[in-house]
Amino acid sequence: NNPVNPSSIVASHIMIRLSDFEQYAIEHMPKKWKDFYASGACGEFTMRDNKAAFQRLKLLPRILRDVSHLTTETTILGERISMPIGIAPTSSHKMAHPDGEVAMVKAARSMGTCMALSTYATCSIEEVADAAPDCLRWFQLYIVTDQEFTRKLVLRAEAAGYKALVLTVDTYVVGIRYGSVRNNFQCPLKLPNLESLNIKSYLDPACTSTIT
């Protein structure tokens, strides 16, 4: 019958907010992989500016409104999603979990939202599509000098049911990640969407510590 402190109910290892997941990763991931995920290019000025920009976004409260029926649903490119939040394309998910992008697309499906798959995914276009065929999926694409290879990637994504392309057009020069250079980081996993391509002609701006 004694009052219970709510904070004592939640064990310290239970992850509730995004920062909890970040802290868990810091404590459990190998340093090379942790630094790869956490770093930006060079002095990381853009990364810090991006974080600050998101922190400036505020929710506008509405008062004296009917709140008996609330929804966060919206549409994106004509497709309905449960909330105005999706999963952006990021590479090498299997460094964090053995199921990689397959687990991520299942999470997107369970939440009723969209996932954009990176060209540098550690699961193939088809694997991710097969894991959640009813999930809204987009495909992130770099335009490379091998136009035939780029065309084949687009056709694969279309055949697998991806609804849109997310074009990356600002990676003419690869950003240097100081942490990856110090760690001599090299991507330890296969990138199945790139297996038939000379990787040197399709340099991963995230998965390399090489300075050229």
Side-chain angles (χ1 to χ4, degrees), residues 77 88-89 115-120 137-144 147 149-155 157 162-172 202 205:
L77 298 183
M115 173 180 171
L117 181 70
S118 170
T119 295
Y120 288 95
R137 288 168 281 106
W138 296 351
F139 182 66
Q140 178 269 335
L141 179 72
Y142 293 98
I143 305 298
V144 295
Q147 294 186 8
F149 179 82
T150 301
R151 187 183 73 85
K152 288 180 179 179
L153 272 183
V154 172
L155 292 176
Y162 291 74
K163 298 294 186 180
L165 295 176
V166 180
L167 297 179
T168 298
V169 295
D170 62 350
T171 313
Y172 302 111
Y202 206 89

Side-chain angles (χ1 to χ4, degrees), residues 76-206:
I76 184 167
L77 298 183
E79 301 281 348
R80 183 160 293 279
I81 55 178
S82 65
M83 54 184 166
I85 300 172
I87 298 175
T90 52
S91 69
S92 307
H93 289 197
K94 281 189 176 181
M95 289 199 306
H97 190 280
D99 291 341
E101 292 82 3
V102 163
M104 191 66 77
V105 77
K106 289 179 179 179
R109 178 183 60 186
S110 71
M111 297 304 297
T113 192
C114 175
M115 173 180 171
L117 181 70
S118 170
T119 295
Y120 288 95
T122 43
C123 298
S124 72
I125 292 170
E126 294 78 13
E127 284 179 292
V128 173
D130 290 344
D134 53 341
C135 179
L136 177 60
R137 288 168 281 106
W138 296 351
F139 182 66
Q140 178 269 335
L141 179 72
Y142 293 98
I143 305 298
V144 295
T145 53
D146 188 340
Q147 294 186 8
E148 178 60 19
F149 179 82
T150 301
R151 187 183 73 85
K152 288 180 179 179
L153 272 183
V154 172
L155 292 176
R156 283 175 61 188
E158 182 181 27
Y162 291 74
K163 298 294 186 180
L165 295 176
V166 180
L167 297 179
T168 298
V169 295
D170 62 350
T171 313
Y172 302 111
V173 178
V174 176
I176 301 170
R177 292 173 179 252
Y178 294 158
S180 293
V181 174
R182 292 188 183 98
N183 293 328
N184 192 28
F185 176 84
Q186 299 293 329
C187 191
L189 303 167
K190 290 184 178 180
L191 304 173
N193 297 322
L194 303 177
E195 285 183 344
S196 62
L197 184 70
N198 178 1
I199 194 64
K200 291 183 180 179
S201 68
Y202 206 89
L203 192 62
D204 181 4

Side-chain angles (χ1 to χ4, degrees), residues 9-17 20:
I9 299 174
V10 181
S12 60
H13 66 278
I14 295 179
M15 294 176 284
I16 300 173
R17 56 184 182 174
D20 295 335

Side-chain angles (χ1 to χ4, degrees), residues 42-99:
C42 297
E44 301 182 343
F45 299 111
T46 300
M47 185 176 76
R48 288 195 293 272
D49 285 347
N50 287 340
K51 288 182 178 180
F54 275 109
Q55 290 170 352
R56 288 194 297 269
L57 294 175
K58 308 297 182 185
L59 295 177
L60 179 63
R62 305 289 186 176
I63 60 174
L64 299 178
R65 301 293 181 92
D66 180 7
V67 294
S68 58
H69 299 286
L70 300 177
T71 180
T72 58
E73 287 188 0
T74 188
T75 58
I76 184 167
L77 298 183
E79 301 281 348
R80 183 160 293 279
I81 55 178
S82 65
M83 54 184 166
I85 300 172
I87 298 175
T90 52
S91 69
S92 307
H93 289 197
K94 281 189 176 181
M95 289 199 306
H97 190 280
D99 291 341

